[in-house]
Amino acid sequence: MKEKLNRTLSGKVTSNKTDKTVTVLVDRRVKHSLYGKIISRSKKYHAHDESNTSQIGDVVLIEECRPISKTKSWRIVKVLSHTVLS
């Protein structure tokens, strides 16, 4: 049986105030359709963090999944880099 390939994105954690949920800011660079200039687009996603391990500033890999709540249909696959708190 074939396993469905889910979309994955990487972004920076901007908020972890809610229980088992983090807000991830995903930046992408796209070419403007008319002028051809490369511009930056960003979007925030709510992702499920079962163990509450992600901190603000961490770079994480998120994967699309079934809807967990009204706004949450992504989950954290792994933390790519941790921030060092000083």
Side-chain angles (χ1 to χ4, degrees):
M1 187 159 57
K2 272 181 118 172
E3 184 178 326
K4 182 182 172 188
L5 295 174
N6 293 339
R7 292 192 300 162
T8 58
L9 299 170
S10 63
K12 192 174 192 179
V13 175
T14 57
S15 173
N16 63 351
K17 292 179 190 261
T18 54
D19 187 35
K20 295 187 180 179
T21 303
V22 294
T23 304
V24 180
L25 180 70
V26 176
D27 287 321
R28 62 190 179 96
R29 296 167 59 83
V30 294
K31 189 175 184 179
H32 191 278
S33 60
L34 179 61
Y35 300 115
K37 182 178 179 178
I38 302 296
I39 53 178
S40 178
R41 298 282 186 196
S42 62
K43 186 172 179 182
K44 288 185 179 179
Y45 295 94
H46 291 250
H48 186 66
D49 183 16
E50 184 64 38
S51 55
N52 282 327
T53 55
S54 299
Q55 298 298 319
I56 295 174
D58 289 353
V59 177
V60 295
L61 184 70
I62 58 174
E63 176 184 54
E64 193 174 29
C65 64
R66 65 177 180 81
I68 298 169
S69 68
K70 180 181 176 182
T71 60
K72 195 165 57 166
S73 59
W74 294 81
R75 65 180 168 187
I76 292 182
V77 177
K78 68 179 185 176
V79 177
L80 299 176
S81 67
H82 287 285
T83 55
V84 179
L85 299 174
S86 55

